[in-house]
Amino acid sequence: MNIEKSFYRRLLEAPTAITFNDVILLPGYTRVEPREVDLRTRVTANHVINLPFVSSPMDTVTGAEMAIALARLGGVGILHRNCSAEEQLAMARKVKRAESFIIRDVITISPDQQVSEAIRIMEDNDIHGLPVVDDRNYLLGIVTWRDVRYSDPSNLVRDVMTGKDRLVYSHESITIEEAKRLMNEYRVEKLPIVDKDGRLLGLVTFKDLQLRGKFPNASRDADGRLLVGAAVSPYDLDRAKMLDRYVDIIVIDVAHFHNENVIASTRKLMNEVSADVVVGNIGTREAALDIVSRLDGVAGFRVGIGSGSICKTGVVTRVAAPTLFAVASVADALASEGLLGKLPIIADGGIKNSGDIALALATGASAVMMGNLLAGTRESPGRLVALEGKYYKEYYGMGSNKARMKRASLDRYSKPSKDVEEGVEGWVPYRGTVKDVVQELKAGVEAAMGYVGASNIEELWYKARFALVSPSGMGEIRPHNIFMIKG
Ligand code: IMP
């Protein structure tokens, strides 16, 4: 065999895989106050969000509750896929229904169903009213929690509903202000929307109108619903097609995307869906260039391999592309094609605090993906436990044996493709609500950008200057020589 390049040369000329703790951002001349910083960002080719925060698709991080909380604050959640396609779809629907001006995906009931069924449907979906329609979707009335609460469960819906003669409803052209006025005037909490023939098209709820004012910074789709993404395997076309109706972003969720079979399957999948397709994970310049040239229409990259706090890939394989190194490499590749920012980079893995976020953004990322930091919040699906007087939440890698035991995750890190565990299981400190955590991280990033003199993320790309920091320097730039009361 003719070896082209000496092993020794390859070792000598190896690049340095710089990671978060190796680097600092240098202060620059500034006119920017932290409160003036605009963190709006393009998270995929076609979607802009108000905060550069994305939650990891892991079953201890992102279910519907996390996705709703994060989108309301301006970020976006990627629903995990460690469940059946139907369960993942139900999460997506819940997010889309959480807040909208006109709900399109209305849950209805027929007049001949029993009150007991109306109660069950309301309880299952956590809603308090159901439009009553016939089998051709013509609106006949509405039945609310108040109507069924004290009614005999065997009564029929038609006997307890508010019929069309007394019903307040409207048409699609109604504005938010008109809807508010109408609902106040008639003291109703639900306003069915019908077409010119009287067929049900949607529903406006008073709760949604109120929530809209409450979360002005939320990430929304064109219909005013919260933005949401979902992870899928590149080989699960059926799931992707099912989710496509409800989600804005589909994330192809593999540990190593730069793989012939994965790319070929993703190409097929991309032809069948209309959501923006983000691919990952990748960690090198070559992967980025190869994918750009072979996957027309790709909408973004999830970048970083082996840096996740629960990740064992680097230990069991010694293969990794630490997040900061990976982001800078991919960003350079995209910049060389004139694509930086147009095909956004989501920096994924190893984010421990707002300083790491600032560094990831400064090296060319448009957003960061977080598992660990969000797993500790109230809204994550993981279990809450008390250990020695402190609260923790369960957090484990999607390649850990615990996650791999759930069949649906088989193709990312486990059998039949792999025999080795690539993630660990554990607990992270309970951190309160997503809102608390996000506000703290946001304030830290804004402060960093103030020091650098960048009023938005694109400006940060141009202005950021870095320095490598020695181990003793790293010790010096964190609190030292003091007994700390907290933290
Ligand atoms: P963290 O925020 O540092 O905890 O990193 C979260 C990221 O780790 C996720 O978004 C995934 O990219 C990655 N990840 C999740 N599960 C595993 C695993 O079991 N092994 C390796 N990486 C994982």
Side-chain angles (χ1 to χ4, degrees), residues 45 203 212 214 297 308 318 351 384 449 459 462 474 486:
L203 185 71
R212 221 180 146 80
K214 217 169 144 195
R318 253 303 183 261
I351 304 278
L384 179 73
M449 289 171 68
E459 232 176 85
Y462 292 99
M474 198 32 108
K486 187 178 158 248

Side-chain angles (χ1 to χ4, degrees), residues 165-240:
D165 47 331
R166 289 184 297 129
L167 195 64
V168 190
Y169 56 92
S170 188
H171 298 281
E172 222 174 353
S173 55
I174 191 166
T175 64
I176 294 183
E177 289 316 312
E178 284 167 350
K180 271 190 188 159
R181 199 164 26 77
L182 202 62
M183 294 169 92
N184 269 324
E185 188 178 329
Y186 290 96
R187 305 204 162 278
V188 292
E189 301 207 336
K190 306 248 183 297
L191 186 68
I193 302 295
V194 294
D195 67 11
K196 62 180 190 336
D197 301 321
R199 267 182 298 243
L200 184 72
L201 287 177
L203 185 71
V204 175
T205 79
F206 196 68
K207 195 176 108 213
D208 287 338
L209 293 183
Q210 279 178 320
L211 285 174
R212 221 180 146 80
K214 217 169 144 195
F215 301 105
N217 213 29
S219 306
R220 297 180 191 282
D221 64 17
D223 286 330
R225 303 174 302 175
L226 296 175
L227 214 64
V228 67
V232 302
S233 151
Y235 307 116
D236 201 347
L237 185 58
D238 290 344
R239 181 184 291 238

